[in-house]
Amino acid sequence: MNTEFLTAEAVELLKLLVATPRTSRSEEAAATLFADFMAQRGFAPQREANNVWCTAEGYSAERPTLLLNAHLDTVRAVSAWTRDPLLPSLEGDRLYGLGTNDDGASLVALTQAFRVLAGRPQSYNLILLASAEEEVSGRDGIERALTRLPRIDVALVGEPTGMQPAIAEKGLMVLDVTAHGRAGHAAREEGINAIYRAMDDIAWFRSFRFPDASALLGPVKMSVTVIQAGTQHNVVPDECRFTVDVRSNECYSNEELYRQICSHVGSDVHARSFRLNSSRIDPSHPLVRSALALGPAPDGQERRPFGSPTLSDQALMPWPSMKMGPGNSARSHTADEFICISEIHAAIEDYIRLLDGLCFEKN
């Protein structure tokens, strides 16, 4: 199987995926499609909910294990699409369609690399996982699949990075914050306005800086993104609720950030989850060194390890992981999303070169 054949087959698979609705929590048909594709090519896919994985023959618990991961699901199409988002459209080098860039191209390129590598002797076990619910960090996504997988030592996560190696990724914590006051008539000097109390805490969220910044990810970032208060114009509101998006770096766990935030604000603070922590891999890990040894990225730029501000399934992986895949993150979740066929071709070649003969130790 040469790269041209692998690319053509990958593109056909991607077209089928685009035409299959697969928004988060509705990936049943796409998971079946992917499992059938792998079964038809001689593998024995396993499934947990809408997560599908294959293990290369020759698995041994004595060897380290590498996980290849990309996600099946997509976000919902935005209203600004000028074409049918579920109708794959090939125009020159570009394939348009929902989920082509995020994350279909990575999935099909990793799949083809897995097929090649599974047929060659390696010093490690190899598992390919197409995960569900990544876009919503759902509990029936990779977190559920991991309960069925053997011990993993390192992971390569396919996401659109232009095939640049992301060796760190910011985490996410969403806070629901409630400021309390006392209702009263707006015409009289009575009541305690919860909005004014919330304003003090919102000002803190806007201006406070956690002292430890990351060389790769920068400082922790906090953004107030939603606010709700009041029932009508003449009633002093007794409650103001707002939401804070917190992007953590590897210097802090989400729980550490939560404790510090609670100690600074007067409002009640509830964290929806502490699950999605920042992740990183040592720059000296053999997987990172192998990526840098590939030479320039497909766009001709020098490959440089970087920190990614966007969340992926890495946040739920308790082992080292690196994110690298075809496409451009800026195209994700946008109208008229596309991937270039040449990007898929280059990714398949790079993935095979990256992983063929890789040596690393068990954790």
Side-chain angles (χ1 to χ4, degrees), residues 266-326:
S267 302
D268 294 336
V269 183
H270 170 72
R272 295 182 188 177
S273 170
F274 297 123
R275 298 160 55 228
L276 306 174
N277 284 291
S278 176
S279 61
R280 69 182 300 275
I281 186 171
D282 193 301
S284 65
H285 192 283
L287 184 62
V288 180
R289 295 204 308 267
S290 181
L292 298 181
L294 292 173
D299 63 0
Q301 298 295 312
E302 179 183 356
R303 265 185 247 253
R304 295 178 180 271
F306 74 101
S308 172
T310 57
L311 197 71
S312 74
D313 275 334
Q314 283 182 285
L316 295 168
M317 296 179 180
W319 53 76
S321 58
M322 184 180 80
K323 182 164 68 178
M324 188 172 83

Side-chain angles (χ1 to χ4, degrees), residues 179 194-204 227 240 242:
I195 293 177
Y196 297 157
R197 286 188 165 180
M199 286 171 63
D200 292 336
D201 287 339
I202 290 172
W204 180 85
I227 188 166
C240 179
F242 59 96

